[in-house]
């Protein structure tokens, strides 16, 4: 009786179109994606030209003994698959090995710098949302107006404008010429830190805002063209009532796109951090690539991929849970 | 939506000038990379140097004109290359479907899971790639979106009556795909390609801004920008000129591509 009940409960949970089944399938797919990526990231060590042991030595004097000790330490003479599995096991325990450039573990190096990148990403994300979403709604509401046209053209320019060029121009105008904001560096924590992050965050947000503006505008316009809006108008609902109906429906694709903007945010931080000489994860990656500090490069690449994959997963689940139309269509 | 007839003229003028720079820079500015240490840094407006000079005494404006080639040629090759891959694989995935479609979609998913800047930086940085290696890497990174785009439009075409009648007439798959479906996909492919040129231009100059891509001493806008950081306080021209050139070129190509896409969409709706 009890097993029959739990069995029925289980089939119910896993039936086509149920949220639990959807989450399980998407979790498995994300896990698989990350597994494949981890393999590629590990292979970077062997795909980089030259002897992996020599690359791991860095700028130290190369002696046969040192090379041998590196080979022993990293088990470079083992078969490829067992090297990969050993590395993966360490990674799952949060151990990415040691940085070649700085004599610390990769984990400490990252934890020193991750706060700044998160603050920068958070501030830019906040700026993007409070500017682009209202503008997108206003432009769609009065589509074809002067506001709509000018912001639309500006957004095309904004999407194309490279972050580092915009950043340097802002740096010159507001940092050097008008002398309002600090030019370089990360500040001394607290308010000073945020003050230092204003220009970088505006730079990063300019491209994102253009993208989010476009997506919001399209979402609201396509919602305004739905039959239910014409019906509501003919029934004599006020503009205000219609607006709340339309916005509630349009916010689903907007929220989805905001999640996906994250991927661009992480690509953008690299350039912004280098432009403004901020000591974050992005500038660390740029420096480590030039220096061939492979453990650091592997760690940052894999962590970024994980964050992006998990964000995409969360967005998908949100979408599935909120929009009944998606649920009906079932899993792709 | 408006047709915005002024767009082709508005974007054509700057793009035409850039095109002249690309083709004829070796005759317009034959001595662009000539160094003159005695002059050193000068500010804009100095006699003979409209935008001043850098630490090596090189004229900023001449360098920028000479840099148009490396800024534009690579991105055009990237957009062409990735669209060729997109058309080949996207048509096959869209028309034949099945396991091939699944495989190509998964490949596209994998590449889209990471930001382009990050992958391009890591791959070209680690293999010490030059200009053309960077171009190859970016073709690989751009192709998934093109494959998806072509696949989508091919699937949209497949259901139409003219394909049915072609099948009834007994035409082969290859012939239907490339003689009948492809011409209807090309307009959208072309406008997507233009947008890709702009995107590739920004990506490539970003990489050279980070010190990758172009070789040392080769004139390049991204390189000029990263060099300009050291002379911000002495010559603002070194920053403003290459920055404006990148922004204007990318914006002009984007506006034109966007305009074309709208025109093509209108036409296909009218049909």
């Amino acid at each position: 009786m009890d097993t029959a009940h739990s069995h029925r409960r289980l089939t119910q949970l896993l039936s086509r179109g149920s949220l639990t089944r959807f989450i399980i399938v998407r979790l498995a797919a994300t896990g698989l994606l990350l597994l494949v990526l981890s393999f590629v990231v590990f292979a970077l060590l062997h795909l980089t030209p030259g002897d992996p042991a020599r690359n791991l030595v860095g700028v130290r004097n190369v002696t046969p003994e040192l090379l041998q000790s590196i080979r022993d330490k990293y088990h470079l003479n083992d078969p490829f698959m067992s090297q990969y599995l050993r590395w993966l096991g360490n990674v799952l325990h949060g151990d990415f090995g040691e940085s070649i450039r700085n004599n610390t573990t990769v984990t400490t190096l990252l934890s020193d710098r991750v706060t700044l990148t998160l603050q920068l990403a958070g501030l830019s994300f906040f700026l993007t949302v409070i500017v682009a979403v209202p503008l997108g709604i206003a432009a769609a509401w009065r589509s074809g107006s002067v506001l709509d046209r000018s912001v639309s053209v500006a957004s095309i320019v904004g999407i194309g404008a490279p972050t580092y060029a915009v950043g340097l121009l802002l740096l010159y105008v507001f940092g050097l010429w008008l002398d309002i904001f600090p030019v370089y560096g990360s500040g001394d924590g607290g308010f000073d830190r945020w003050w230092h992050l204003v220009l970088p965050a505006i730079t990063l947000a300019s491209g994102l805002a253009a993208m989010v503006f476009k997506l919001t505008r399209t979402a609201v316009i396509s919602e305004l063209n739905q039959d239910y809006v014409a019906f509501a108008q003919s029934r004599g609902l006020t503009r205000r009532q219609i607006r709340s109906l339309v916005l509630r429906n349009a916010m689903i694709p907007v929220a989805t796109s905001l999640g996906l903007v994250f991927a661009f945010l992480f690509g953008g931080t690299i350039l912004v951090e280098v432009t403004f000489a901020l000591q974050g994860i992005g500038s660390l990656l740029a420096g480590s690539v030039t220096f061939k500090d492979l453990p650091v490069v592997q760690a940052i690449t894999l962590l970024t991929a994980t964050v992006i994959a998990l964000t995409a997963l969360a967005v998908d689940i949100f979408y599935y849970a909120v929009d009944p139309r998606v649920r009906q269509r079932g899993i792709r | 939506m408006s047709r915005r007839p002024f767009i082709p003229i508005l974007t054509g003028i700057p793009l035409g000038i850039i095109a002249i720079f690309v083709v004829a820079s070796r005759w317009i500015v034959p001595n662009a990379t000539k160094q003159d240490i005695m002059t050193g840094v000068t500010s804009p407006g100095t006699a003979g140097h409209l935008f001043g000079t850098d630490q090596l005494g090189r004229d900023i404006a001449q360098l920028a004109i000479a840099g148009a080639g490396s800024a534009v040629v690579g991105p055009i090759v990237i957009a062409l290359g990735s669209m060729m891959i997109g058309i080949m694989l996207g048509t096959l995935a869209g028309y034949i479907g099945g396991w091939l479609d699944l495989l190509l979609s998964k490949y596209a998913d994998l590449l889209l899971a990471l930001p382009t800047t990050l992958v391009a930086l890591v791959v070209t940085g680690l293999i010490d790639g030059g200009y053309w290696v960077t171009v190859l890497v970016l073709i690989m990174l751009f192709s998934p979106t093109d494959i998806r785009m072509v696949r989508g439009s091919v699937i949209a075409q497949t259901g139409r009556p003219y394909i049915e009648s072609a099948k009834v007439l007994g035409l082969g798959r290859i012939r239907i795909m490339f003689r009948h479906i492809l011409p209807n996909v090309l307009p959208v492919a072309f406008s997507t390609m233009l947008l890709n040129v702009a995107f590739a231009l920004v990506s490539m100059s970003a990489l050279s801004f980070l010190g990758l891509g172009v070789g040392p001493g080769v004139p390049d806008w991204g390189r000029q920008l990263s060099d300009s950081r050291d002379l911000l306080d002495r010559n603002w021209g070194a920053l403003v000129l290459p920055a404006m050139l990148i922004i204007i070129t990318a914006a002009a190509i984007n506006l034109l591509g966007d305009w074309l896409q709208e025109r093509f969409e209108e036409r296909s709706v009218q049909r």
Side-chain angles (χ1 to χ4, degrees):
Chain A
M1 164 72 191
D2 220 29
T3 45
H5 175 73
S6 62
H7 181 257
R8 198 169 47 188
R9 176 102 186 90
L10 202 66
T11 25
Q12 205 175 19
L13 271 177
L14 298 183
S15 67
R16 207 170 168 71
S18 87
L19 187 60
T20 320
R21 181 187 150 118
F22 179 77
I23 293 176
I24 290 172
V25 170
R26 284 292 285 112
L27 261 178
T30 308
L32 197 67
L33 176 78
L34 287 177
L35 197 67
V36 174
L37 276 173
S38 76
F39 187 76
V40 176
V41 165
F42 175 74
L44 282 178
L45 178 64
H46 293 269
L47 293 175
T48 308
D51 178 6
R54 257 172 198 277
N55 286 336
L56 288 169
V57 168
V59 285
R60 281 174 284 176
N61 279 330
V62 182
T63 60
E65 295 79 38
L66 184 60
L67 280 181
Q68 194 51 50
S69 74
I70 294 261
R71 285 205 183 95
D72 291 342
K73 189 173 157 197
Y74 288 90
H75 306 277
L76 288 175
N77 290 328
D78 289 7
F80 183 79
M81 276 318 282
S82 74
Q83 283 183 45
Y84 166 65
L85 290 176
R86 190 192 308 273
W87 176 80
L88 188 66
N90 288 341
V91 164
L92 290 176
H93 288 97
D95 174 14
F96 284 94
E98 278 167 31
S99 160
I100 299 167
R101 196 165 45 153
N102 314 64
N103 279 320
T104 50
T105 61
V106 175
T107 321
T108 26
L109 199 59
L110 289 185
S111 57
D112 285 348
R113 289 181 170 237
V114 76
T115 322
L116 183 121
T117 301
L118 288 180
Q119 285 169 333
L120 174 63
L123 189 59
S124 339
F125 193 69
F126 174 71
L127 288 175
T128 304
V129 174
I130 59 163
V131 172
V133 175
L135 270 181
I137 294 170
W141 205 253
R142 292 178 224 292
S143 131
S145 67
V146 180
L147 172 89
D148 178 30
R149 281 170 191 230
S150 43
V151 183
S152 290
V153 169
S155 79
I156 295 174
V157 176
I159 286 179
T163 356
Y164 45 92
V166 174
L168 282 173
L169 287 175
L170 287 176
L171 191 78
Y172 181 69
V173 174
F174 293 100
L176 271 174
W177 194 29
L178 299 176
D179 200 15
I180 301 174
F181 290 104
V183 177
Y184 285 125
S186 328
D188 314 319
F191 180 73
D192 195 42
R193 160 65 62 83
W194 291 104
W195 192 238
H196 276 77
L197 285 181
V198 172
L199 278 187
I202 292 176
T203 307
L204 191 49
S206 65
L208 293 177
M211 210 151 52
V212 172
F213 164 79
K214 257 192 144 174
L215 291 165
T216 310
R217 183 179 173 277
T218 317
V220 175
I221 283 184
S222 81
E223 213 49 54
L224 281 172
N225 289 333
Q226 299 282 327
D227 288 339
Y228 75 81
V229 176
F231 177 69
Q233 272 166 345
S234 66
R235 283 292 299 263
L237 265 70
T238 61
R239 274 175 79 81
R240 207 199 171 108
Q241 284 169 313
I242 295 173
R243 189 186 333 226
S244 88
L245 275 176
V246 166
L247 288 190
R248 205 188 309 160
N249 285 322
M251 279 311 112
I252 297 173
V254 171
T256 312
S257 66
L258 282 181
L260 297 175
V261 154
F262 250 78
F264 290 86
L265 206 61
F266 275 92
T269 45
I270 303 173
L271 290 162
V272 173
E273 284 174 20
V274 172
T275 307
F276 288 91
L278 297 172
Q279 301 290 307
I281 297 286
S283 54
L284 178 66
L285 177 69
S288 304
V289 164
T290 331
F291 197 87
K292 299 227 180 349
D293 194 344
L294 273 167
V296 179
V297 174
Q298 288 175 322
I300 296 179
T301 314
L302 198 57
L303 285 177
T304 312
T306 311
V307 171
I308 291 172
L310 291 181
T311 314
L313 177 70
V315 166
D316 272 7
I317 291 173
F318 164 80
Y319 203 34
Y320 197 80
V322 170
D323 195 335
R325 287 169 297 185
V326 182
R327 225 171 312 160
Q328 232 160 34
R329 248 179 278 143
I331 302 160
R332 270 178 295 151
Chain B
M1 190 68 191
S2 66
R3 299 188 145 222
R4 297 182 289 168
F6 56 91
I7 292 284
I9 305 162
L10 189 77
T11 58
I13 295 168
L15 291 180
I17 295 173
I18 304 275
I20 293 172
F21 288 169
V22 172
V23 176
S25 69
R26 78 186 75 168
W27 296 292
I28 303 174
V29 284
N31 302 320
T33 51
K34 207 180 92 186
Q35 302 180 358
D36 180 7
I37 313 275
M38 296 301 286
T39 313
V41 186
T42 55
S43 54
T46 314
H49 304 294
L50 190 58
F51 284 88
T53 49
D54 65 7
Q55 297 100 320
L56 300 170
R58 294 178 296 184
D59 183 83
I60 296 294
Q62 291 196 25
L63 264 184
I65 292 174
S70 78
V72 174
V73 174
I76 292 175
V77 175
I78 292 168
L80 276 172
S82 93
M83 188 48 81
M84 260 154 66
I85 295 177
I87 285 176
M88 290 300 296
L89 298 183
T91 313
L92 287 175
Y95 193 68
I96 295 178
W99 61 269
L100 187 74
D101 186 21
L102 193 73
L103 196 73
L104 287 172
S105 304
K106 289 300 152 201
Y107 163 74
D109 279 349
L110 189 69
L111 281 183
L112 289 174
L114 284 167
T116 320
T117 326
L118 188 144
V119 182
L121 169 70
V122 169
V123 176
T124 52
L126 289 184
I127 57 181
D128 287 324
Y131 188 75
W132 294 106
V133 174
T134 313
V135 168
L136 260 179
V137 170
L138 286 176
I139 288 178
M140 291 302 294
L141 291 176
F142 276 51
S143 56
T145 36
D146 286 353
I147 295 176
R148 282 199 169 178
M149 193 279 298
V150 174
R151 175 183 172 273
S153 352
V154 166
I155 287 177
Q157 294 290 330
T158 319
R160 298 205 174 178
Y162 77 93
I163 298 299
E164 286 299 317
S165 39
K167 275 187 197 158
V168 172
L169 283 173
L171 299 185
R173 277 174 155 187
I174 305 283
R175 202 184 151 109
I176 294 182
M177 272 190 275
F178 292 99
R179 287 289 296 280
H180 297 271
I181 296 182
L182 191 58
N184 289 305
V185 176
L186 281 182
V188 191
F190 183 71
S191 56
T192 309
M193 217 168 69
L194 262 186
L195 297 174
N196 275 345
V197 172
F199 195 37
L201 185 135
V202 173
S203 305
M204 277 208 82
S205 57
L207 287 173
S208 61
F209 177 76
L210 294 172
L212 302 163
V214 283
V218 179
D220 179 271
W221 295 346
R223 169 70 55 77
Q224 261 190 301
L225 267 183
S226 100
D227 290 346
S228 80
R229 278 184 297 181
D230 298 330
L231 25 126
L232 266 186
D233 48 344
R234 287 169 291 167
N235 179 6
W236 53 264
L239 160 69
V240 172
L241 185 64
M244 289 319 287
L245 278 172
I246 297 177
I247 293 176
I248 289 173
T249 314
I253 299 174
N254 265 325
L255 280 170
L256 192 63
D258 196 68
W259 180 81
L260 269 177
Q261 205 157 40
E262 221 166 70
R263 294 292 297 260
F264 289 142
E265 272 166 17
E266 263 175 30
R267 214 173 60 178
S268 69
V269 169
Q270 277 164 9
R271 235 182 242 164

Short mmCIF file of all heavy atoms in Angstrom, two decimals, chain A residues 251-291:
data_model
loop_
_atom_site.label_atom_id
_atom_site.label_comp_id
_atom_site.label_asym_id
_atom_site.label_seq_id
_atom_site.Cartn_x
_atom_site.Cartn_y
_atom_site.Cartn_z
N MET A 251 6.81 41.05 -18.74
CA MET A 251 7.95 40.94 -17.83
C MET A 251 8.57 39.55 -17.84
O MET A 251 9.71 39.37 -17.43
CB MET A 251 7.55 41.33 -16.41
CG MET A 251 7.53 42.83 -16.16
SD MET A 251 9.03 43.63 -16.74
CE MET A 251 8.45 44.60 -18.11
N ILE A 252 7.83 38.54 -18.32
CA ILE A 252 8.40 37.18 -18.33
C ILE A 252 9.59 37.10 -19.29
O ILE A 252 10.70 36.75 -18.86
CB ILE A 252 7.32 36.14 -18.68
CG1 ILE A 252 6.26 36.14 -17.58
CG2 ILE A 252 7.94 34.75 -18.80
CD1 ILE A 252 5.08 35.26 -17.89
N PRO A 253 9.43 37.47 -20.58
CA PRO A 253 10.62 37.45 -21.44
C PRO A 253 11.71 38.42 -20.99
O PRO A 253 12.90 38.14 -21.15
CB PRO A 253 10.09 37.84 -22.82
CG PRO A 253 8.74 38.38 -22.60
CD PRO A 253 8.22 37.74 -21.35
N VAL A 254 11.31 39.55 -20.39
CA VAL A 254 12.32 40.51 -19.93
C VAL A 254 13.17 39.90 -18.82
O VAL A 254 14.40 39.96 -18.85
CB VAL A 254 11.66 41.82 -19.46
CG1 VAL A 254 12.68 42.72 -18.79
CG2 VAL A 254 11.02 42.54 -20.63
N ALA A 255 12.50 39.27 -17.84
CA ALA A 255 13.24 38.65 -16.74
C ALA A 255 14.17 37.57 -17.27
O ALA A 255 15.32 37.44 -16.83
CB ALA A 255 12.28 38.06 -15.72
N THR A 256 13.70 36.80 -18.27
CA THR A 256 14.53 35.77 -18.87
C THR A 256 15.78 36.36 -19.49
O THR A 256 16.89 35.88 -19.26
CB THR A 256 13.73 35.04 -19.96
OG1 THR A 256 12.46 34.71 -19.44
CG2 THR A 256 14.43 33.79 -20.40
N SER A 257 15.59 37.45 -20.25
CA SER A 257 16.74 38.03 -20.94
C SER A 257 17.72 38.63 -19.93
O SER A 257 18.93 38.59 -20.13
CB SER A 257 16.29 39.08 -21.94
OG SER A 257 15.71 40.16 -21.26
N LEU A 258 17.19 39.15 -18.81
CA LEU A 258 18.08 39.70 -17.79
C LEU A 258 19.01 38.62 -17.26
O LEU A 258 20.19 38.87 -16.99
CB LEU A 258 17.27 40.29 -16.64
CG LEU A 258 16.66 41.66 -16.90
CD1 LEU A 258 15.90 42.14 -15.68
CD2 LEU A 258 17.74 42.66 -17.25
N GLY A 259 18.48 37.41 -17.13
CA GLY A 259 19.33 36.30 -16.67
C GLY A 259 20.43 36.02 -17.67
O GLY A 259 21.57 35.78 -17.30
N LEU A 260 20.07 36.08 -18.96
CA LEU A 260 21.05 35.73 -19.98
C LEU A 260 22.09 36.82 -20.18
O LEU A 260 23.18 36.57 -20.69
CB LEU A 260 20.34 35.43 -21.30
CG LEU A 260 19.40 34.23 -21.19
CD1 LEU A 260 18.64 34.03 -22.47
CD2 LEU A 260 20.18 32.98 -20.84
N VAL A 261 21.75 38.05 -19.76
CA VAL A 261 22.69 39.16 -19.85
C VAL A 261 23.95 38.87 -19.03
O VAL A 261 25.03 39.36 -19.30
CB VAL A 261 21.98 40.45 -19.38
CG1 VAL A 261 22.96 41.46 -18.85
CG2 VAL A 261 21.17 41.04 -20.50
N PHE A 262 23.80 37.99 -18.05
CA PHE A 262 24.93 37.61 -17.19
C PHE A 262 26.16 37.16 -17.97
O PHE A 262 27.27 37.49 -17.62
CB PHE A 262 24.49 36.49 -16.25
CG PHE A 262 24.38 36.93 -14.85
CD1 PHE A 262 23.29 37.66 -14.43
CD2 PHE A 262 25.38 36.63 -13.94
CE1 PHE A 262 23.19 38.09 -13.13
CE2 PHE A 262 25.28 37.06 -12.63
CZ PHE A 262 24.19 37.78 -12.22
N ALA A 263 25.91 36.38 -19.05
CA ALA A 263 27.04 35.89 -19.84
C ALA A 263 27.85 37.05 -20.39
O ALA A 263 29.07 37.03 -20.36
CB ALA A 263 26.55 35.00 -20.97
N PHE A 264 27.15 38.08 -20.87
CA PHE A 264 27.83 39.24 -21.42
C PHE A 264 28.54 40.01 -20.32
O PHE A 264 29.61 40.55 -20.51
CB PHE A 264 26.83 40.16 -22.13
CG PHE A 264 26.32 39.56 -23.39
CD1 PHE A 264 25.23 38.72 -23.37
CD2 PHE A 264 26.94 39.83 -24.59
CE1 PHE A 264 24.76 38.16 -24.53
CE2 PHE A 264 26.48 39.27 -25.76
CZ PHE A 264 25.39 38.43 -25.73
N LEU A 265 27.93 40.06 -19.14
CA LEU A 265 28.52 40.75 -18.00
C LEU A 265 29.90 40.19 -17.70
O LEU A 265 30.85 40.92 -17.48
CB LEU A 265 27.59 40.53 -16.80
CG LEU A 265 27.59 41.56 -15.70
CD1 LEU A 265 27.17 42.89 -16.26
CD2 LEU A 265 26.63 41.14 -14.61
N PHE A 266 30.05 38.85 -17.75
CA PHE A 266 31.32 38.25 -17.40
C PHE A 266 32.37 38.44 -18.48
O PHE A 266 33.55 38.55 -18.18
CB PHE A 266 31.13 36.78 -17.06
CG PHE A 266 30.73 36.59 -15.64
CD1 PHE A 266 29.41 36.52 -15.29
CD2 PHE A 266 31.70 36.53 -14.65
CE1 PHE A 266 29.04 36.38 -13.97
CE2 PHE A 266 31.33 36.39 -13.33
CZ PHE A 266 29.99 36.32 -12.99
N GLY A 267 31.95 38.48 -19.76
CA GLY A 267 32.89 38.79 -20.81
C GLY A 267 33.35 40.23 -20.69
O GLY A 267 34.52 40.55 -20.86
N GLY A 268 32.40 41.11 -20.35
CA GLY A 268 32.69 42.54 -20.29
C GLY A 268 33.59 42.93 -19.15
O GLY A 268 34.40 43.85 -19.29
N THR A 269 33.50 42.23 -18.01
CA THR A 269 34.32 42.63 -16.86
C THR A 269 35.81 42.54 -17.18
O THR A 269 36.59 43.31 -16.65
CB THR A 269 34.06 41.76 -15.62
OG1 THR A 269 34.02 40.41 -16.02
CG2 THR A 269 32.78 42.16 -14.94
N ILE A 270 36.19 41.60 -18.07
CA ILE A 270 37.61 41.47 -18.41
C ILE A 270 38.13 42.81 -18.93
O ILE A 270 39.10 43.36 -18.41
CB ILE A 270 37.83 40.39 -19.48
CG1 ILE A 270 37.28 39.05 -19.01
CG2 ILE A 270 39.30 40.27 -19.82
CD1 ILE A 270 37.31 37.98 -20.09
N LEU A 271 37.42 43.34 -19.95
CA LEU A 271 37.89 44.56 -20.60
C LEU A 271 37.79 45.76 -19.67
O LEU A 271 38.69 46.61 -19.63
CB LEU A 271 37.08 44.81 -21.87
CG LEU A 271 37.40 43.81 -22.98
CD1 LEU A 271 36.32 43.80 -24.02
CD2 LEU A 271 38.74 44.15 -23.60
N VAL A 272 36.69 45.84 -18.92
CA VAL A 272 36.51 47.01 -18.04
C VAL A 272 37.56 47.01 -16.93
O VAL A 272 38.15 48.05 -16.63
CB VAL A 272 35.08 47.03 -17.46
CG1 VAL A 272 34.94 48.11 -16.42
CG2 VAL A 272 34.07 47.23 -18.56
N GLU A 273 37.83 45.85 -16.35
CA GLU A 273 38.83 45.80 -15.29
C GLU A 273 40.22 46.17 -15.82
O GLU A 273 40.98 46.84 -15.14
CB GLU A 273 38.86 44.41 -14.65
CG GLU A 273 37.68 44.19 -13.71
CD GLU A 273 37.62 42.77 -13.18
OE1 GLU A 273 38.65 42.08 -13.23
OE2 GLU A 273 36.54 42.36 -12.73
N VAL A 274 40.54 45.72 -17.04
CA VAL A 274 41.84 46.08 -17.61
C VAL A 274 41.88 47.58 -17.90
O VAL A 274 42.85 48.26 -17.57
CB VAL A 274 42.13 45.26 -18.89
CG1 VAL A 274 43.37 45.79 -19.59
CG2 VAL A 274 42.31 43.80 -18.54
N THR A 275 40.80 48.12 -18.47
CA THR A 275 40.76 49.54 -18.81
C THR A 275 40.97 50.41 -17.57
O THR A 275 41.71 51.39 -17.60
CB THR A 275 39.40 49.90 -19.45
OG1 THR A 275 39.16 49.02 -20.53
CG2 THR A 275 39.39 51.33 -19.95
N PHE A 276 40.29 50.07 -16.46
CA PHE A 276 40.35 50.92 -15.28
C PHE A 276 41.36 50.42 -14.24
O PHE A 276 41.34 50.88 -13.09
CB PHE A 276 38.96 51.02 -14.64
CG PHE A 276 38.00 51.86 -15.44
CD1 PHE A 276 37.19 51.28 -16.40
CD2 PHE A 276 37.92 53.23 -15.26
CE1 PHE A 276 36.31 52.04 -17.14
CE2 PHE A 276 37.05 54.00 -15.99
CZ PHE A 276 36.24 53.40 -16.95
N ALA A 277 42.20 49.45 -14.63
CA ALA A 277 43.22 48.90 -13.73
C ALA A 277 42.61 48.46 -12.40
O ALA A 277 43.11 48.80 -11.33
CB ALA A 277 44.34 49.91 -13.50
N LEU A 278 41.50 47.71 -12.46
CA LEU A 278 40.88 47.19 -11.25
C LEU A 278 41.40 45.78 -10.99
O LEU A 278 41.57 45.00 -11.92
CB LEU A 278 39.36 47.13 -11.42
CG LEU A 278 38.63 48.46 -11.62
CD1 LEU A 278 37.18 48.21 -11.97
CD2 LEU A 278 38.75 49.29 -10.37
N GLN A 279 41.65 45.47 -9.71
CA GLN A 279 42.20 44.16 -9.37
C GLN A 279 41.09 43.14 -9.16
O GLN A 279 40.80 42.75 -8.03
CB GLN A 279 43.06 44.27 -8.11
CG GLN A 279 44.21 45.23 -8.25
CD GLN A 279 45.27 44.71 -9.20
OE1 GLN A 279 45.75 43.61 -9.06
NE2 GLN A 279 45.60 45.52 -10.20
N GLY A 280 40.46 42.72 -10.24
CA GLY A 280 39.39 41.73 -10.13
C GLY A 280 39.73 40.45 -10.85
O GLY A 280 40.87 40.23 -11.26
N ILE A 281 38.72 39.59 -11.02
CA ILE A 281 38.92 38.31 -11.67
C ILE A 281 39.27 38.49 -13.16
O ILE A 281 40.10 37.78 -13.71
CB ILE A 281 37.63 37.46 -11.56
CG1 ILE A 281 37.31 37.15 -10.11
CG2 ILE A 281 37.74 36.17 -12.35
CD1 ILE A 281 38.20 36.12 -9.49
N GLY A 282 38.61 39.47 -13.81
CA GLY A 282 38.81 39.67 -15.23
C GLY A 282 40.22 40.08 -15.58
O GLY A 282 40.85 39.52 -16.48
N SER A 283 40.77 41.07 -14.83
CA SER A 283 42.14 41.50 -15.13
C SER A 283 43.13 40.40 -14.74
O SER A 283 44.17 40.24 -15.37
CB SER A 283 42.46 42.80 -14.39
OG SER A 283 42.21 42.67 -13.02
N LEU A 284 42.77 39.61 -13.72
CA LEU A 284 43.61 38.46 -13.35
C LEU A 284 43.69 37.47 -14.50
O LEU A 284 44.76 36.97 -14.84
CB LEU A 284 43.04 37.77 -12.11
CG LEU A 284 43.78 36.52 -11.64
CD1 LEU A 284 45.17 36.86 -11.16
CD2 LEU A 284 43.01 35.80 -10.55
N LEU A 285 42.53 37.22 -15.15
CA LEU A 285 42.51 36.29 -16.28
C LEU A 285 43.38 36.82 -17.42
O LEU A 285 44.21 36.09 -17.96
CB LEU A 285 41.08 36.07 -16.78
CG LEU A 285 40.98 35.16 -18.00
CD1 LEU A 285 41.34 33.73 -17.63
CD2 LEU A 285 39.59 35.20 -18.60
N ALA A 286 43.21 38.11 -17.76
CA ALA A 286 43.99 38.68 -18.86
C ALA A 286 45.48 38.56 -18.58
O ALA A 286 46.26 38.14 -19.45
CB ALA A 286 43.59 40.14 -19.08
N GLY A 287 45.88 38.89 -17.34
CA GLY A 287 47.29 38.79 -16.98
C GLY A 287 47.78 37.35 -17.00
O GLY A 287 48.88 37.06 -17.48
N SER A 288 46.95 36.42 -16.52
CA SER A 288 47.36 35.02 -16.44
C SER A 288 47.49 34.40 -17.81
O SER A 288 48.34 33.54 -18.02
CB SER A 288 46.36 34.23 -15.61
OG SER A 288 46.22 34.80 -14.34
N VAL A 289 46.65 34.82 -18.75
CA VAL A 289 46.75 34.28 -20.11
C VAL A 289 48.07 34.70 -20.73
O VAL A 289 48.81 33.88 -21.28
CB VAL A 289 45.57 34.76 -20.97
CG1 VAL A 289 45.86 34.54 -22.44
CG2 VAL A 289 44.30 34.03 -20.59
N THR A 290 48.42 35.98 -20.61
CA THR A 290 49.67 36.47 -21.18
C THR A 290 50.85 35.76 -20.55
O THR A 290 51.84 35.45 -21.20
CB THR A 290 49.81 37.99 -20.97
OG1 THR A 290 48.52 38.56 -20.92
CG2 THR A 290 50.61 38.62 -22.07
N PHE A 291 50.75 35.48 -19.26
CA PHE A 291 51.85 34.85 -18.53
C PHE A 291 51.82 33.33 -18.64
O PHE A 291 52.71 32.65 -18.17
CB PHE A 291 51.75 35.26 -17.05
CG PHE A 291 53.01 35.03 -16.28
CD1 PHE A 291 53.99 36.00 -16.27
CD2 PHE A 291 53.22 33.86 -15.59
CE1 PHE A 291 55.15 35.79 -15.56
CE2 PHE A 291 54.38 33.64 -14.88
CZ PHE A 291 55.36 34.61 -14.87
#
